[in-house]
Amino acid sequence: MPSTQRYVPRTDTDQSIINHQADLKSCSRCPEMIQPVITGTPVASSIMIIGQAPGIREGDIGRPFGWTAGKTLFKWFSSIGVDEAQFREQVYMAAVCRCFPGKNPKGSGDRVPDKQEIATCKQWLEKEYQLLQPKLIIPVGKLAISQYINAKKLVDAVGQQFVIDTPNLQADCIPLPHPSGLSTWFNMEPGKTLLQDALRLIDNHSAWKEIK
Ligand code: SF4
């Protein structure tokens, strides 16, 4: 169920993020995408997590990572000292695309957003970089990782810390695999060890220490 708690802005920056999310929630720029637009808490965080796109359940639930993949993801973060409630209040939750792309017509799982949709939705992300000036980006899954890191495979990205230095974004980047139940990568070696390495890097990051 969508949260009925009213979010009270704590700073001017929060108010600008609330305004930003109000604009974002009314977006319907991609004809194939299925609304509603899913956003997280409008928190002025120095950490951003970037998912791929909401799944079919998130529309009813009204928040990102609200279903089974989220259970796994929040178990990972709990293991390094931040539970789901705290995470949702302290980390800015974004995605490559903010609407449900629909089911994959050719197989299992959800349709992967196309290049045009990714480029269109990136405008919202760029605005968030500007508002939040994040110190740590956590991309989750191959599509999100590929927006920041030039790595062909998960083994080339997960378990390492990267530096993003572009005109619009200067931040550290620590990728995670997608916690989808369809993936076995993080339960088998080398994924199992690389996931633990990535979580250790996040746990040691100064931005994470600020929210613990
Ligand atoms: S995916 Fe992004 S750009 Fe496309 S309609 Fe949804 S919010 Fe707008």
Short mmCIF file of all heavy atoms in Angstrom, two decimals, residues 23-38 53-54 95-101 113 116-124, ligand 1:
data_model
loop_
_atom_site.label_atom_id
_atom_site.label_comp_id
_atom_site.label_asym_id
_atom_site.label_seq_id
_atom_site.Cartn_x
_atom_site.Cartn_y
_atom_site.Cartn_z
N ASP A 23 7.11 17.41 -10.39
CA ASP A 23 7.21 17.50 -11.86
C ASP A 23 7.41 16.12 -12.47
O ASP A 23 6.77 15.74 -13.44
CB ASP A 23 8.41 18.38 -12.26
CG ASP A 23 8.20 19.83 -11.88
OD1 ASP A 23 7.04 20.22 -11.65
OD2 ASP A 23 9.20 20.57 -11.80
N LEU A 24 8.30 15.35 -11.85
CA LEU A 24 8.62 14.00 -12.35
C LEU A 24 7.37 13.11 -12.37
O LEU A 24 7.13 12.38 -13.34
CB LEU A 24 9.72 13.41 -11.45
CG LEU A 24 10.08 11.93 -11.57
CD1 LEU A 24 10.48 11.57 -12.99
CD2 LEU A 24 11.23 11.59 -10.62
N LYS A 25 6.57 13.21 -11.31
CA LYS A 25 5.39 12.33 -11.21
C LYS A 25 4.35 12.62 -12.29
O LYS A 25 3.48 11.79 -12.54
CB LYS A 25 4.75 12.47 -9.83
CG LYS A 25 5.51 11.66 -8.78
CD LYS A 25 4.94 11.88 -7.40
CE LYS A 25 5.76 11.09 -6.39
NZ LYS A 25 5.50 11.49 -5.01
N SER A 26 4.42 13.78 -12.89
CA SER A 26 3.45 14.09 -13.94
C SER A 26 4.00 13.79 -15.34
O SER A 26 3.36 14.09 -16.34
CB SER A 26 3.02 15.56 -13.85
OG SER A 26 4.13 16.38 -14.12
N CYS A 27 5.18 13.16 -15.39
CA CYS A 27 5.82 12.90 -16.69
C CYS A 27 5.12 11.76 -17.44
O CYS A 27 4.76 10.73 -16.87
CB CYS A 27 7.29 12.53 -16.47
SG CYS A 27 8.17 12.21 -18.02
N SER A 28 4.91 11.98 -18.72
CA SER A 28 4.37 10.91 -19.59
C SER A 28 5.03 11.01 -20.97
O SER A 28 4.37 10.87 -21.98
CB SER A 28 2.85 11.04 -19.69
OG SER A 28 2.51 12.32 -20.19
N ARG A 29 6.34 11.26 -20.96
CA ARG A 29 7.05 11.50 -22.21
C ARG A 29 7.26 10.24 -23.06
O ARG A 29 7.53 10.35 -24.24
CB ARG A 29 8.43 12.11 -21.91
CG ARG A 29 8.35 13.51 -21.32
CD ARG A 29 9.73 13.99 -20.93
NE ARG A 29 9.65 15.21 -20.14
CZ ARG A 29 10.68 15.72 -19.47
NH1 ARG A 29 11.85 15.14 -19.49
NH2 ARG A 29 10.53 16.83 -18.77
N CYS A 30 7.21 9.06 -22.43
CA CYS A 30 7.49 7.83 -23.19
C CYS A 30 6.19 7.09 -23.49
O CYS A 30 5.53 6.60 -22.56
CB CYS A 30 8.41 6.91 -22.40
SG CYS A 30 9.92 7.69 -21.84
N PRO A 31 5.81 6.99 -24.76
CA PRO A 31 4.50 6.41 -25.10
C PRO A 31 4.33 4.95 -24.70
O PRO A 31 3.20 4.51 -24.42
CB PRO A 31 4.42 6.58 -26.62
CG PRO A 31 5.79 6.93 -27.08
CD PRO A 31 6.54 7.49 -25.93
N GLU A 32 5.43 4.16 -24.65
CA GLU A 32 5.31 2.73 -24.32
C GLU A 32 5.38 2.46 -22.82
O GLU A 32 5.13 1.33 -22.39
CB GLU A 32 6.42 1.93 -25.02
CG GLU A 32 6.47 2.05 -26.53
CD GLU A 32 5.19 1.55 -27.18
OE1 GLU A 32 4.66 0.53 -26.72
OE2 GLU A 32 4.72 2.20 -28.13
N MET A 33 5.77 3.44 -22.05
CA MET A 33 5.91 3.22 -20.60
C MET A 33 4.55 3.28 -19.90
O MET A 33 3.64 4.00 -20.32
CB MET A 33 6.84 4.28 -20.01
CG MET A 33 8.29 4.04 -20.32
SD MET A 33 8.89 2.58 -19.42
CE MET A 33 10.64 2.68 -19.76
N ILE A 34 4.46 2.51 -18.82
CA ILE A 34 3.19 2.41 -18.09
C ILE A 34 3.33 3.16 -16.76
O ILE A 34 4.16 2.82 -15.94
CB ILE A 34 2.85 0.92 -17.86
CG1 ILE A 34 2.71 0.21 -19.22
CG2 ILE A 34 1.57 0.78 -17.02
CD1 ILE A 34 2.76 -1.31 -19.13
N GLN A 35 2.53 4.21 -16.61
CA GLN A 35 2.56 4.97 -15.38
C GLN A 35 1.82 4.20 -14.28
O GLN A 35 1.08 3.28 -14.60
CB GLN A 35 1.94 6.36 -15.61
CG GLN A 35 2.91 7.37 -16.20
CD GLN A 35 3.07 7.24 -17.72
OE1 GLN A 35 2.15 6.82 -18.39
NE2 GLN A 35 4.23 7.57 -18.25
N PRO A 36 2.00 4.50 -12.98
CA PRO A 36 2.55 5.75 -12.48
C PRO A 36 4.07 5.80 -12.49
O PRO A 36 4.74 4.76 -12.54
CB PRO A 36 2.05 5.77 -11.03
CG PRO A 36 2.00 4.33 -10.64
CD PRO A 36 1.55 3.61 -11.89
N VAL A 37 4.58 7.02 -12.41
CA VAL A 37 5.99 7.26 -12.18
C VAL A 37 6.28 6.90 -10.72
O VAL A 37 5.56 7.31 -9.83
CB VAL A 37 6.34 8.74 -12.43
CG1 VAL A 37 7.79 9.02 -12.10
CG2 VAL A 37 6.02 9.14 -13.87
N ILE A 38 7.32 6.10 -10.52
CA ILE A 38 7.65 5.66 -9.16
C ILE A 38 8.84 6.45 -8.63
O ILE A 38 9.89 6.50 -9.27
CB ILE A 38 7.98 4.15 -9.14
CG1 ILE A 38 6.80 3.34 -9.69
CG2 ILE A 38 8.34 3.69 -7.73
CD1 ILE A 38 5.51 3.45 -8.92
N ALA A 53 14.28 -0.13 -13.58
CA ALA A 53 12.95 0.45 -13.78
C ALA A 53 12.02 -0.29 -12.83
O ALA A 53 12.31 -1.42 -12.44
CB ALA A 53 12.49 0.26 -15.22
N PRO A 54 10.90 0.31 -12.44
CA PRO A 54 9.98 -0.40 -11.55
C PRO A 54 9.41 -1.65 -12.21
O PRO A 54 9.33 -1.74 -13.44
CB PRO A 54 8.86 0.62 -11.29
CG PRO A 54 9.23 1.87 -11.98
CD PRO A 54 10.44 1.63 -12.83
N ALA A 95 16.14 5.60 -10.64
CA ALA A 95 16.23 4.48 -11.59
C ALA A 95 16.56 5.02 -12.97
O ALA A 95 16.36 6.21 -13.24
CB ALA A 95 14.91 3.71 -11.63
N VAL A 96 17.04 4.14 -13.83
CA VAL A 96 17.33 4.53 -15.22
C VAL A 96 16.03 5.00 -15.88
O VAL A 96 16.01 6.00 -16.59
CB VAL A 96 17.93 3.33 -15.99
CG1 VAL A 96 18.14 3.67 -17.45
CG2 VAL A 96 19.24 2.89 -15.35
N CYS A 97 14.94 4.29 -15.64
CA CYS A 97 13.60 4.72 -16.07
C CYS A 97 12.66 4.58 -14.88
O CYS A 97 12.75 3.62 -14.12
CB CYS A 97 13.11 3.89 -17.25
SG CYS A 97 13.95 4.31 -18.79
N ARG A 98 11.73 5.50 -14.75
CA ARG A 98 10.89 5.55 -13.53
C ARG A 98 9.50 4.96 -13.71
O ARG A 98 8.68 5.03 -12.80
CB ARG A 98 10.74 7.00 -13.04
CG ARG A 98 12.01 7.81 -12.98
CD ARG A 98 13.01 7.23 -12.00
NE ARG A 98 14.27 7.94 -12.13
CZ ARG A 98 14.63 8.97 -11.38
NH1 ARG A 98 13.85 9.40 -10.43
NH2 ARG A 98 15.79 9.55 -11.58
N CYS A 99 9.22 4.45 -14.91
CA CYS A 99 7.90 3.84 -15.15
C CYS A 99 8.09 2.37 -15.51
O CYS A 99 9.16 1.96 -16.00
CB CYS A 99 7.18 4.53 -16.29
SG CYS A 99 6.88 6.28 -16.01
N PHE A 100 7.04 1.59 -15.32
CA PHE A 100 7.07 0.16 -15.66
C PHE A 100 7.09 0.00 -17.18
O PHE A 100 6.18 0.47 -17.87
CB PHE A 100 5.84 -0.52 -15.04
CG PHE A 100 5.69 -1.96 -15.41
CD1 PHE A 100 6.76 -2.85 -15.30
CD2 PHE A 100 4.47 -2.44 -15.87
CE1 PHE A 100 6.61 -4.19 -15.65
CE2 PHE A 100 4.31 -3.78 -16.21
CZ PHE A 100 5.39 -4.65 -16.09
N PRO A 101 8.12 -0.71 -17.71
CA PRO A 101 8.22 -0.85 -19.17
C PRO A 101 7.28 -1.89 -19.76
O PRO A 101 7.19 -2.03 -20.98
CB PRO A 101 9.68 -1.31 -19.38
CG PRO A 101 10.35 -1.22 -18.04
CD PRO A 101 9.29 -1.25 -17.01
N PRO A 113 14.11 -1.20 -20.92
CA PRO A 113 13.87 0.10 -21.57
C PRO A 113 14.78 0.28 -22.77
O PRO A 113 15.93 -0.17 -22.77
CB PRO A 113 14.23 1.11 -20.46
CG PRO A 113 14.07 0.37 -19.18
CD PRO A 113 14.42 -1.06 -19.49
N GLN A 116 15.99 5.24 -26.44
CA GLN A 116 15.28 6.52 -26.43
C GLN A 116 14.66 6.77 -25.05
O GLN A 116 14.73 7.89 -24.52
CB GLN A 116 14.19 6.51 -27.52
CG GLN A 116 13.42 7.81 -27.63
CD GLN A 116 14.34 8.99 -27.93
OE1 GLN A 116 15.12 8.96 -28.88
NE2 GLN A 116 14.29 10.03 -27.10
N GLU A 117 14.06 5.73 -24.48
CA GLU A 117 13.45 5.90 -23.15
C GLU A 117 14.51 6.23 -22.10
O GLU A 117 14.30 7.08 -21.23
CB GLU A 117 12.70 4.61 -22.78
CG GLU A 117 11.45 4.38 -23.62
CD GLU A 117 10.92 2.96 -23.52
OE1 GLU A 117 11.68 2.02 -23.19
OE2 GLU A 117 9.72 2.78 -23.80
N ILE A 118 15.66 5.55 -22.21
CA ILE A 118 16.75 5.81 -21.25
C ILE A 118 17.22 7.26 -21.38
O ILE A 118 17.39 7.97 -20.38
CB ILE A 118 17.91 4.83 -21.49
CG1 ILE A 118 17.47 3.41 -21.12
CG2 ILE A 118 19.14 5.24 -20.69
CD1 ILE A 118 18.44 2.32 -21.56
N ALA A 119 17.39 7.71 -22.62
CA ALA A 119 17.85 9.09 -22.84
C ALA A 119 16.82 10.10 -22.35
O ALA A 119 17.16 11.12 -21.75
CB ALA A 119 18.14 9.30 -24.33
N THR A 120 15.55 9.80 -22.57
CA THR A 120 14.50 10.73 -22.15
C THR A 120 14.45 10.82 -20.63
O THR A 120 14.39 11.91 -20.05
CB THR A 120 13.13 10.27 -22.69
OG1 THR A 120 13.23 10.10 -24.10
CG2 THR A 120 12.04 11.27 -22.37
N CYS A 121 14.52 9.67 -19.97
CA CYS A 121 14.40 9.68 -18.50
C CYS A 121 15.67 10.21 -17.85
O CYS A 121 15.64 10.64 -16.70
CB CYS A 121 14.05 8.28 -18.00
SG CYS A 121 13.04 8.32 -16.50
N LYS A 122 16.78 10.18 -18.57
CA LYS A 122 18.04 10.66 -18.00
C LYS A 122 17.95 12.14 -17.62
O LYS A 122 18.66 12.61 -16.72
CB LYS A 122 19.17 10.44 -19.02
CG LYS A 122 20.54 10.62 -18.43
CD LYS A 122 21.62 10.31 -19.43
CE LYS A 122 22.97 10.55 -18.80
NZ LYS A 122 24.06 10.39 -19.74
N GLN A 123 17.07 12.85 -18.28
CA GLN A 123 16.92 14.28 -17.94
C GLN A 123 16.52 14.46 -16.48
O GLN A 123 16.93 15.41 -15.82
CB GLN A 123 15.88 14.91 -18.85
CG GLN A 123 16.29 14.88 -20.33
CD GLN A 123 15.12 15.16 -21.25
OE1 GLN A 123 14.31 16.04 -21.00
NE2 GLN A 123 15.03 14.40 -22.32
N TRP A 124 15.73 13.52 -15.97
CA TRP A 124 15.33 13.61 -14.55
C TRP A 124 16.51 13.29 -13.64
O TRP A 124 16.70 13.91 -12.60
CB TRP A 124 14.16 12.64 -14.28
CG TRP A 124 12.93 12.99 -15.05
CD1 TRP A 124 12.37 12.28 -16.07
CD2 TRP A 124 12.09 14.13 -14.85
NE1 TRP A 124 11.24 12.92 -16.53
CE2 TRP A 124 11.04 14.05 -15.79
CE3 TRP A 124 12.12 15.22 -13.97
CZ2 TRP A 124 10.03 15.01 -15.88
CZ3 TRP A 124 11.12 16.18 -14.06
CH2 TRP A 124 10.09 16.07 -15.00
S1 SF4 B 1 10.18 6.51 -18.06
FE1 SF4 B 1 10.86 8.51 -17.30
S2 SF4 B 1 10.80 9.92 -19.04
FE2 SF4 B 1 9.60 8.08 -19.57
S3 SF4 B 1 7.48 8.61 -19.00
FE3 SF4 B 1 8.38 7.56 -17.22
S4 SF4 B 1 9.23 9.21 -15.95
FE4 SF4 B 1 8.83 10.09 -17.98
#
